[in-house]
Every structure is written in structure tokens, then in C-alpha cells.
Amino acid sequence: MLRWLLRRIGAGLVMVWLVATATFALVSAAPGDITQRLNDVRTPPAARERWRRDFGLDRPWGVRYISWLGDAVTGDLGYSWLHHRKVAGVLAQAIPNTILLAGLGLLLEIAGGITLAVVQLRRPHGKGDRAITLLSLTAYALPPFVVGLGLLYLLAFRFPLFPPSHMLSVAGETQHGLPRLLDLLHHLVLPVVAIGIAGMGGVARYLRGSLLDEKGQQYVLAARARGASERRALISHALPNALLPLITMVGMSLPFLVSGSLVIEVVFSWPGMGQTMYDAALARDVPLLLGGTVLATIAVVAGNLLADLAYAIADPRVRL
Amino acid sequence: MRPSSWLIVTATVALTAVATGCRREGPGVAAPATAEGPRRGGQVIIGQPTDVSTLNEYQSAGDSTEYAIIDLMFPTLMVEQPDYQLHPPSFAPRLATSWEFSQDNRILTFHLRDDAVWTDGVPVTAEDVRFTFTVQKDRQIGSPGLEFKDFISTVEVVDPHTVRFHFTRVYPYQLMDANDGHIVPAHAWGKVPFDRWRTTDFEPIMVSSGPFRLASHNPNQTLILERNPTYWGQPRPYLDRLVFRVVPELSSLTNQLMAGELDLIQGIPPREAQRLRGDPDIEIVEFPSRKWGFVAWNNRDPLFADRRVRRALTLGINRKAAVDAVYHGFARPAVGPVLSSMWAFNRNLPQLPYDLAQAAGLLAEAGWRRRDSDGALVRNGRPFVFDLAYPATNTLRAELAVLIQADLARLGITVRPLQMEFTAFVAATETGEFDALLWVWEEGTRVDLTGVWSSPSETAGSNNFIAYSNPEVDRLISASREEPDYTRSKVIFDRIQEIIVEDQPVTFLYEANEIVGINRRIRGADINAVGVYFNLEEWYWGQ
């Protein structure tokens, strides 16, 4: 077990290094750099040259790569060129916002998906099952921004029940304690639902399949023979086994908690990683891009690792 | 939206009906009404698509929304007036109460107010003006405006309220160059070594001296400015607060203005403006911006090297129709290299007509023939084909590209619209690797044709990325920069414009209007070409 863990962590580190290197190569090869932000008729190109010297962009890419890698190994991700602050500071501000939004969205997605699948299998192939299948396939197929814009139109503008954007209202910005928390929750509803709806359909479809498989298994029949109700046989006996593949799904979703959904963040003006990384890419803010990518890769590696560990715990047949 | 997705939306309503108690804020928390006249208090919520990247002008890339916010927090020596239509801009006092030139015009002396203070109570003095100058000139800080100070050798502190600018030459824009850039606090920011400025976050050491000061900044969300109680200028603002909200999605900006979540947005796309026109609560303010758009022909490219060809391309594009179709009347056709709203504009310039016959004639003169088989325009067996690039995020320019493609097809020319990511698009101008671009410049209030129209030099880069070169234009531009009397330089500018229009190095397309949407209850706003917040101190909430 320990050897397995060490091997996986070692492989994970190599993966992080490879992704960071590939990102560096891509950004270096992409046309343009941070100095393209200087795009004013009054600004002479000499200003761009000064910026290139300041940001070290006049050095060969090999030198820049080694110098970044050397700092990164010691945990120093450098300064963001766009925000004039430490990369770690910029990320530390954006990540909690994204984890909050994406985490709640993921929770809704899973809870909603499980509920839908269980409801469907009360009467497989019945009317309710077919209706929910249609709905979940539709939700699965809809791009998140369509869901987001639909929600906005309906619940923020047509019937203004929820605020259309941001984490806090203007008044909430200066409040503290409970009023601030309530304001935040109020602002969370629409983006969380937008994320949840888009994912819910997928989870429901996935789970319905595995639940149907489990339902036909002999142990479920045995449970019913022992007098367990239809509902108990489904929820207490079949569901736990059907949930196993879900562990992988959740593990794979972990990076989403860190990298965020650009589309949902833009539609709802949510100051998370999606927006931060998009701005960084547009501005060619190399240190911030690299820092964010490293973090997202770590999340992918950790997600897979955790999923495997969880599998081993949940399913005694799996040995590490 | 399809009916099936409405089902989802309806289902969502059911799922999320457990809403918290909802409340919508009014646009401002205004003080109790007085009988007549302006009232103190309230806040204006302004929506903009991006956050500021810094509040220190000398770290900034010169983004105009960022600059406008900095302008509310930091003073300049003088305030430029919106009179550049008539003559080079004049100035009103701000930090300086008066100024005068020496006999030989090489020394400019400013007399500063003695009651100006920074937000921490420290007086604003001549030392701050001198410190700001060293910041502007420092190569490590690398301020984009460094070149504006090229002809200022030193700034000398005479006494705490008198400061002298020493010029190395006499030229028309001495006042403007001396005034360029906001004054920053020597006592607070002087402690940061210049080689650390690029990596320093100035918000924690924010000391300012404008009508408003920083209250809070939540990155990518909300920037709040509040009235600065130590402000020394007149008039003092009526508003308590200005709230800048980041809303990255353009249609959301309009929707939130209409819903009363925002009180003011600017840079409204023409189509959105049409939508806002029907709203009784919103006033649309429109004024000539200093942005103009053109087709940049790469003059290095053999395809566009011949001025007869470039002229034919202009004649072959129905510019008025295209601009009207895309801008819904919020732009005017452009004529030449000086904006029609500038004092130096040559009012006798001819607007080239849309004339296919004349265009075909010029192309024939340049050796291009229609091929019988498919009607394509060819020379020496090679067809007339080029890429017309535009930035991916700009739908207006995408529409223009398609209209230009259709127009030029009538001459047998194949235009391939090419969408590019914005930064790559800007980078193409630097490398010169493009055929033709749909480009936009935003002019300053100074008329200086050097950067864009003088021949690019062999050694240094240039904003003349199309590599237009005409020795006569070079000579006249140099002369225009030396001539201190603007009535005489006007004659030179008139001639330059004639030659450039004759050469058609670019196809002049449009001069865009800036469109601002503002809540009708805001009174006293004089929004003009100098800036949206030109007289923000005088804004107040009406009944």
C-alpha cells in the first residue's frame, strides 16, 4: 500500500512537471506577449521593449524556463505580470470562490442525479422514467451558458427573485456576519443551479444504468425474498453497489473545483479561477498561467489518487 | 430557446423555490430631499467588463477605463478642457493655480495651491511634482508615457509651492507634455525602490489626493471609491460613493442597467444601444469618441504596394452602407488621418465615392484583368486573394469583414475573413505578418501624425505597422511638430491630409461614437469627449 502510494505520488509529480513544461512551451510559442497590452496610438513601440526587458522576455526561452522552474521547485510561483502581486496571492483569492461555487454545484449535481435515478427505477420503463430520461438527456445536452442565461432571464430579470451576478450585493460588500452570509447564499443560488442542472442529467443517466444492473442481481432478489420492501431493496441494497462508478466520476470532477467553469463565472460575474485564468491567457501573464496550471494538474492527480483510494475502501474486491 | 429547455427552467423554479428573502436595492441611498437644487449623498453604480489591474498610473498599460478611475483619485497640474475642436486644448487650474513661460519659452513655472493635501494629511508640494517626474522618466519603471517627457530635462523645486519645468526645445505641446500624468505621493511611494515598482501592489500603501479615494477593492468584483473628506478642490462632489462592478458579459451589462442593478455603463455596442432606446428610465448619451476604424493594407505586400490598387479597393467598398449597417447610425464615415472633430481636420478633403467603374479602371491600369473563366481578378496568372484579419471578440468588425468581402467580390477580388485571438492579432502588427487588418486607433487630444504616418525607421519600431512611407509626408510631419503657431501648423496639417488621402495607405472606414447609458435620475452630468466623468463632482440624484 505504502509503496503503491509513493509510486503514484512520484508519477503524479512527473505529470505536474510535464504539464507545466508543455504549458510553458505553448505560451512561449503563442504569438504575442504581455506587451501587447500596450496598444495605444500615443505609445511608441519603445515602451514595449522596456516592458520586455522588465519582464525578462528579452532572455532566451531556455533561460526563462530554468529560472521559473528553479523558483517553482522552492514553492515560489513568482509575480503576476497583470496584477503586480504574487501569483500565490492572486490564486489564493480566486480559488476559494471557485471551490465554493463548483463544490456546491457538484453537490447539487450528485444529490440531484441520485434522486432522479432512484425515482426513475421505482418503476423502470414507466412514464415517469421516460419523462425523466428525456429531461436529463436534454439537460446533459444543453451548454451550461444556455442554462445560465435561461435562469438569468427567468429568475433575475423576468421575475427578479435572485440577483443576476456577483458574489455579494453592493450593500453586502460592507456588511459582516449573518447578513453577509445570507447575501452570499442568495447570490449563489442561480450559478449553483446552473452548474447542477447541467451535471445532474449525466449523473442520473449513469446511475440509472448501473442501478438497473444491480437491481437484477441475485442479492437484491434475496433481499426481497427476506421480506425487504421494494424501496428498501433498491435504496439499502442496490444503491450502495451502484454508487461505485460514481466515485470515479467525482474523482474526475475534483479538478473542476479548482479550475472552475469559465462560462458560468463569466455569465454570473463570479470572481473565480475560470475568469482569472482567462484574463491571464489573454494578457499572456506567463507566471500566473503556469501557477494556475500547476495547481489544476495537482488537482487532477490528487483526484485520481483519492478516487482509487476511495474505491479500495468502498469495494473490498479492489486491492492496491 | 427550444421548448424542451423551458421545461428544465420550469423544473428549476420548482427546485429552487426555497429562496432566501429577496430584496432589491434601489439605485442610490440618497439623502432626504431639499426643496430645490442638487442634493448631497447617494452612490452611482457603474458597470464595466474588466477590473482595474492597478491604481498606479505608472504600472498601467494605459487602459482607458483604468485611467478614468485613476483620474478621480489623483490630481494633475491642470485640467484639459474639451475644446480641441477649435484649437489645441486649453487648460484650467487644478493643482496649479497659475503658470507662465520664461522669455525664451524654455522654462515653464507652475504655482501650486497651498491647501492641497494627500489623504493622509500630508501636503501636496512641489516635491511631489518633482518625484512624479523622476518616476515618469525612470527606465526601470518603464511608464508607457515616458516619451512625452523627452524634451523636459529637469523639474526644479523652487519652493514648496513653486516648480519649474526646463525644456530642451520649444514646441507646440509643451504645456500638454508637462501636464501629462497624475501626481503621485513622494512621501508614501518614494519608499518603494524603482526596481521594485513592477512587482509592488500599491493598494495597501494607497495615498491619493483626488475628489474620491479608495474605499475597498474586491478583485474582479467591486471597486468602491468614496468621497475624499480631505479633498481641497472645488466643487466638492455631491455623491458619497462610486461603485465599479465588473460584469464581463456585454449583454449582461445592458440587462443590468435596464433592471436598475447598474446606473451607468459605457462603451455600449450599437445593437445594444438600440435595445436601450426604448427604456424610459435610461438616457443614451452619445458623443464623438476619438476612435476611428480602417482597413490597414500591408504596404510592404506587393499586392498593396501600388497606390492605384489601394485607391481602387477604397472605391470598391461601399463604406457608408457598411458603416450604417453595422453601427446603426452610431458612427460616421471617416475621411482622412485627422479626426473630423479635431481643430486640425481639413474640411475640404474629398470623401472618395463608392464607384465600381472607377475602381475597375484603376485596377486595369495597375495590370489586373478579369479572368474569363470565373471572373476572378488576375495579374500574371495570379488571382487577387488576401486575408482580412479581425479580433475574435469583436462582432462588429466580423460583420464589417463580411460586407467588405461581398463588396470586393464584385471586382473579382477574393477576401478571406480571418478571425484571430486578440493578443495574436495585436502581435501581427508588430511582426508585420498580415495581408490586411481591420484596425482601430483611439487618438489622443493632441494632433501628432508622427507615430502612425511617418516612415518607420530601420532601427526602432513604429506604430506605422503598415509601413506607409512618403518622404514628402515625413518632411511635413517634422515641420508640423516644430511650428509653435497652430494657425500656421494647420496649413501644414491640411496638406498632409491631402497627400495621405491621395495615397490611401489605408481605407478610412468610420469614426465611432461613444455610447453611454445612464439612469435618468442622475442630474448634472456633462458627459463629453474628454471623459465620461468630466464633471463627476457635479453629479447628483434627482427625485
Side-chain angles (χ1 to χ4, degrees), chain B residues 197-276:
Chain B
W197 272 49
R198 187 175 62 74
T199 52
T200 297
D201 179 5
F202 282 83
E203 276 180 33
I205 50 169
M206 187 52 63
V207 173
S208 61
S209 183
F212 288 88
R213 68 176 182 189
L214 180 66
S216 68
H217 184 201
N218 187 353
N220 261 337
Q221 282 284 281
T222 311
L223 175 81
I224 301 180
L225 301 186
E226 60 190 5
R227 184 173 43 213
N228 174 10
T230 64
Y231 183 56
W232 34 269
Q234 288 294 342
R236 310 272 157 94
Y238 294 120
L239 295 170
D240 287 337
R241 302 205 300 174
L242 294 175
V243 180
F244 296 88
R245 294 278 254 179
V246 178
V247 180
E249 222 260 319
L250 287 180
S251 62
S252 294
L253 276 170
T254 320
N255 287 335
Q256 295 196 22
L257 180 68
M258 293 171 86
E261 300 270 343
L262 300 171
D263 303 319
L264 186 151
I265 60 177
Q266 51 180 310
I268 303 176
R271 214 189 295 271
E272 299 283 303
Q274 294 282 77
R275 197 151 72 86
L276 281 171

Side-chain angles (χ1 to χ4, degrees), chain A residues 1-8:
Chain A
M1 170 87 181
L2 188 67
R3 272 191 58 191
W4 173 86
L5 199 62
L6 286 176
R7 212 170 52 227
R8 285 292 300 264

Side-chain angles (χ1 to χ4, degrees), chain A residues 40-44, chain B residues 144 148 290 441-446 463:
Chain A
D40 187 300
V41 69
R42 286 154 289 184
T43 308
Chain B
F148 293 139
R290 293 186 302 273
W441 280 127
E442 180 170 12
E443 295 289 336
T445 52
R446 117 181 26 214
N463 282 328

Side-chain angles (χ1 to χ4, degrees), chain A residues 102-169:
Chain A
L104 289 178
L106 209 59
L107 225 59
L108 179 65
E109 168 182 327
I110 293 166
I114 292 177
T115 314
L116 285 180
V118 169
V119 168
Q120 277 183 288
L121 285 197
R122 294 290 295 280
R123 275 195 186 68
H125 310 295
K127 268 190 190 155
D129 183 19
R130 267 181 279 167
I132 294 179
T133 297
L134 185 70
L135 280 180
S136 39
L137 278 176
T138 312
Y140 193 56
L142 279 176
F145 79 92
V146 173
V147 180
L149 290 178
L151 287 174
L152 268 182
Y153 171 73
L154 199 68
L155 296 179
F157 295 121
R158 193 80 184 76
F159 306 103
L161 295 172
F162 298 100
S165 63
H166 298 93
M167 289 183 72
L168 294 167
S169 64

